[in-house]
Amino acid sequence: MRRAATAAAVTAAALACATLAGCGTSGSGGGRAELSVSAAYMPQPVSDTMAAGFLTITNKGDARDELTSVTSDAAGDVTLHETAGGTMKQAERLTVPAHGRLVFRSGGGHLMFEGLKRRPRQGQTVAVTLHFAASGPVTVEVPVRSATYTPTTGH
C-alpha cells in the first residue's frame, strides 16, 4: 500500500513538472533545474531594426540547465551574446548553473533582437520565450524602458 502511494505521488509530481515552465531534469543524478526570471528589461531601441534585452535567470535547483535559444514575435531572430575580454560574440547556448544565475546586463551578456517587426516604445512590453535544454520554455513579458535606463538592483 505504501509503495503504491509513493508511486502515485512520484507520477503526480512528474506530471506537474511536465506542465510547469522552468521545471526540468539534468539527465544525470535525477536533480532538477528550478528556473525563474527577474530584472528583465529592454532599453527603447534607437534603431528600427535591432534592440538589446537584459534579464537574470536564477536556478535554485540541483541540476544545471542550458539556455539554448530565445524567440519573440517582436523580432525575426533573437540571438544570445556574451562578452569576454571586451569582445562580443554570439553564443549557441549558455549555462545556467545549479544554485546559480545567468545574468544578462549592459556591458556583458545580452539578448540581441534582430529584424524588429515593430519598434518597441517605452512603457510597452515585449513577449520573449526562453528555451532550455532540459526545462520547459519560460515566457516573460519584458518591459521597454528609456534608452538610458540603468537598473539599480537585480544585476
Side-chain angles (χ1 to χ4, degrees):
M1 182 73 110
R2 185 174 279 170
R3 184 175 273 174
T6 300
V10 169
T11 301
L15 288 173
C17 182
T19 60
L20 291 175
C23 185
T25 61
S26 69
S28 65
R32 156 177 120 219
E34 295 177 25
L35 306 176
S36 62
V37 178
S38 62
Y41 74 98
M42 172 189 281
Q44 182 173 301
V46 295
S47 164
D48 287 336
T49 60
M50 298 179 79
F54 307 100
L55 51 83
T56 298
I57 303 168
T58 301
N59 182 357
K60 292 184 180 180
D62 294 329
R64 73 179 188 90
D65 205 342
E66 292 179 319
L67 178 63
T68 58
S69 66
V70 179
T71 55
S72 175
D73 289 342
D77 195 24
V78 183
T79 54
L80 308 173
H81 287 87
E82 57 187 346
T83 302
T87 303
M88 177 181 73
K89 67 176 186 171
Q90 186 171 335
E92 292 299 315
R93 53 184 52 220
L94 295 170
T95 299
V96 186
H99 303 288
R101 299 183 316 162
L102 173 60
V103 179
F104 292 99
R105 67 172 147 244
S106 183
H110 58 277
L111 305 177
M112 183 62 66
F113 295 77
E114 301 171 43
L116 289 175
K117 296 176 182 177
R118 61 174 172 73
R119 190 172 178 185
R121 303 278 183 211
Q122 183 176 343
Q124 296 177 332
T125 61
V126 174
V128 174
T129 302
L130 308 171
H131 303 272
F132 297 92
S135 300
V138 176
T139 300
V140 180
E141 290 293 326
V142 177
V144 180
R145 306 286 188 201
S146 74
T148 58
Y149 174 75
T150 302
T152 55
T153 61
H155 290 280

